[in-house]
Amino acid sequence: MDKIRIIGGTPLVGSIPISGAKNAALPLMAACLLTDETLTLSNMPYLADIITMANLLAQHGVHLSMSDQTRGPNGLSLGRILSLNAANVNNLTAPYDLVRTMRASVLVLGPLLARYGAARVSLPGGCAIGTRPIDLHLKALEQMGAEIELVDGYIHAKVENRLKGADITFEKVSVGATENILMAAALAEGTTTLRNAAREPEVCDLAYCLQAMGAKISGIGCDEIIIEGVPALHGCQYSVVPDRIEAGSFAAAAAITGGDVELIGITMDIMQSVAEKFEEAGVSITETPRGLRVRRSAERIRGVDIMTQPYPGFPTDMQAQMMALLSVAEDASMVTETIFENRYMHVPELMRMNAKIIVHGSSAMIRGVPELKGAEVMATDLRASVSLVIAALAAVGETVIHRVYHLDRGYERLEEKLVRCGAQIERITSAKQPLRFEAA
Ligand code: UD1
């Protein structure tokens, strides 16, 4: 398995292009199942999770083709272009082997059921950060007339004729359930109202793409979304929103090293709650013509209190990175995780690097230390892994991070982007196959 070796202590200086958001790209890919015309997605990141979704769609019978990296007139990367055509879907089963490696696979359920009247999708099971049920997805589909049975670890869903519009109130804000039902409702008969819907920029991105495909949706970005079902959708071209979590991760890396970095392609509007906490911690984030500039304005990071919340609150996907940053603050911080029950896997690893953190239930108290120290540590999930990279970039001495395949799920060319800003980071590769796009 690959490892990453980092020698800490060099301030990051330079510019970093921000890729398209993984969490927007995955549902957008699933949306291709809603039409027999071609959906063309640009600004696509090239990541292990994207390849998993491509392989899942390919085994349903979707035809996919992906371009090489594209560049704009100024030489900046515009990501890749992915074309998806679901005119010849011949298999309605999402198998366990693919779903268990990536929970977002469950996003094929709504579109398959809406367009073909049936789907068989493996139950995703738990993951490193919690039990993560999908009851909200299933309950909403049942309200729309689907018959759902759980058989041998699979969800068997079917509907006579079309799904029917319904008035759905989610008990909890769920990104995935909102996305699944948005897609299902786009092709349902009649009007669907989603209350307590997720408002994340990635959910909005999906809704805007569905609109471009001919869906009738109002209330995008609000917690009440109204979808008037249409009999068919068409193809379109759509560009994936930039990755606010990747941008926030690099902002934390710039801040912890006392650097000065321009994050190219990201905008302040989707970074507000994160930018506010950085400002409180003594890190200035300002708009530039190309993106955002991040630099430390205080001598030392200041302690801040953070509570994760659905958007527009502070994202759970930035919690671990912020904790790495706060571990070198001049005073104490309190972090409270309200979205997932087991999202402190990075804490014991950060403690191996001299961080002083105490976890009590869903809260963690971080007492800042003057410096972190390099150590051998283990990546446990995607955001936990990048928090270790951030800590290592500031730590005294050498850090070796094991199990970095987690990073490849969500960070495109991470080492290359950091090296361009002066970081001393290298991948120690084991004899493993490189990432490969297998679809036809
Ligand atoms: C998405 C993101 C993930 C992010 C999370 C929260 C993708 C691919 N992943 O995950 O990176 O951390 O949003 O912002 O976009 N829940 C239920 N029942 C359900 C569904 C969810 O109880 O049917 C609970 C979950 O266990 C969790 C909370 O609701 O406690 C929020 O989960 P959800 O927003 O659904 O997360 P995902 O869509 O899986």
Side-chain angles (χ1 to χ4, degrees):
M1 265 185 260
D2 288 6
K3 298 175 209 167
I4 281 184
R5 181 170 165 269
I6 297 173
I7 313 280
T10 314
L12 294 187
V13 178
S15 60
I16 300 181
I18 299 304
S19 298
K22 166 182 85 76
N23 286 356
L26 293 171
L28 287 171
M29 288 171 74
C32 81
L33 293 167
L34 293 166
T35 173
D36 60 6
E37 294 185 19
T38 300
L39 174 63
T40 304
L41 301 173
S42 55
N43 200 31
M44 282 290 294
Y46 192 57
L47 300 164
D49 274 9
I50 298 297
I51 293 162
T52 304
M53 184 58 105
N55 290 333
L56 175 65
L57 293 171
Q59 67 85 47
H60 285 305
V62 174
H63 184 271
L64 302 99
S65 66
M66 191 185 255
S67 74
D68 287 336
Q69 186 97 4
T70 54
R71 292 196 183 272
N74 52 7
L76 286 177
S77 164
L78 296 177
R80 292 173 191 246
I81 297 174
L82 177 65
S83 297
L84 308 103
N85 183 288
N88 297 308
V89 166
N90 50 21
N91 169 25
L92 301 179
T93 299
Y96 175 66
D97 272 356
L98 286 165
V99 179
R100 87 186 150 84
T101 58
M102 189 186 65
R103 291 181 47 84
S105 308
V106 82
L107 291 171
V108 299
L109 177 60
L112 285 177
L113 192 55
R115 180 138 165 252
Y116 301 99
R120 192 168 160 264
V121 176
S122 170
L123 274 169
C127 72
I129 60 175
T131 49
R132 298 183 81 173
I134 55 158
D135 55 316
L136 301 173
H137 304 232
L138 303 185
K139 220 165 137 186
L141 289 171
E142 279 177 337
Q143 275 185 265
M144 298 177 78
E147 282 174 44
I148 294 181
E149 270 187 314
L150 302 182
V151 185
D152 300 334
Y154 277 78
I155 304 153
H156 289 236
K158 61 178 186 203
V159 63
E160 293 262 332
N161 304 317
R162 282 167 72 188
L163 288 168
K164 301 226 167 12
D167 199 325
I168 295 162
T169 302
F170 293 113
E171 280 158 39
K172 227 178 182 182
V173 180
S174 162
V175 171
T178 305
E179 291 168 342
N180 231 338
I181 306 309
L182 256 179
M183 290 189 276
L187 283 186
E189 194 182 331
T191 303
T192 300
T193 304
L194 303 183
R195 297 178 212 277
N196 201 23
R199 299 156 64 187
E200 271 68 2
E202 297 76 21
V203 176
C204 300
D205 216 34
L206 172 65
Y208 288 127
C209 177
L210 292 173
Q211 270 186 338
M213 292 168 75
K216 294 197 175 145
I217 304 176
S218 58
I220 299 174
C222 305
D223 61 1
E224 187 173 312
I225 306 177
I226 298 171
I227 309 114
E228 233 181 274
V230 293
L233 295 176
H234 51 75
C236 78
Q237 299 192 357
Y238 193 80
S239 177
V240 180
V241 70
D243 195 324
R244 65 197 166 101
I245 305 300
E246 186 197 21
S249 305
F250 286 124
I256 201 169
T257 60
D260 186 348
V261 165
E262 188 183 16
L263 304 172
I264 297 170
I266 191 75
T267 50
M268 187 64 107
D269 55 336
I270 55 173
M271 295 287 296
Q272 212 69 48
S273 62
V274 171
E276 276 166 23
K277 286 297 167 187
F278 273 107
E279 291 285 348
E280 252 186 78
V283 179
S284 105
I285 301 198
T286 49
E287 296 186 85
T288 70
R290 301 195 300 176
L292 297 176
R293 180 180 177 192
V294 183
R295 84 209 123 102
R296 196 147 91 193
S297 44
E299 182 62 23
R300 271 194 71 186
I301 296 296
R302 293 191 288 264
V304 295
D305 294 341
I306 289 171
M307 184 179 283
T308 62
Q309 300 268 279
Y311 191 85
F314 189 90
T316 173
D317 285 353
M318 271 300 296
Q319 181 255 102
Q321 300 89 312
M322 211 61 185
M323 204 183 268
L325 177 65
L326 296 174
S327 66
V328 294
E330 62 189 1
D331 42 19
S333 308
M334 175 77 92
V335 170
T336 305
E337 173 59 56
T338 72
I339 310 289
F340 292 111
E341 72 265 33
N342 187 24
R343 212 169 191 182
Y344 288 129
M345 308 278 278
H346 45 287
V347 168
E349 303 303 312
L350 288 173
M351 289 173 72
R352 291 175 59 75
M353 300 178 71
N354 196 40
K356 299 274 175 285
I357 306 173
I358 300 169
V359 176
H360 270 298
S362 63
S363 292
M365 158 82 89
I366 305 133
R367 291 183 202 282
V369 293
E371 60 183 27
L372 294 171
K373 298 194 170 107
E376 292 215 22
V377 290
M378 182 93 79
T380 50
D381 71 63
L382 173 57
R383 308 303 170 185
S385 324
V386 82
S387 79
L388 300 176
V389 172
I390 292 163
L393 288 169
V396 176
E398 177 183 294
T399 298
V400 175
I401 306 175
H402 296 262
R403 295 199 184 166
V404 296
Y405 57 84
H406 290 290
L407 278 174
D408 296 330
R409 293 188 46 209
Y411 291 87
E412 188 175 15
R413 295 179 290 117
L414 177 86
E415 305 95 279
E416 187 191 316
K417 290 183 183 188
L418 288 170
V419 163
R420 278 173 44 154
C421 293
Q424 294 190 57
I425 173 169
E426 63 171 356
R427 183 176 289 237
I428 305 164
T429 313
S430 60
K432 185 185 105 191
Q433 291 293 313
L435 288 183
R436 211 152 41 91
F437 184 68
E438 285 172 1

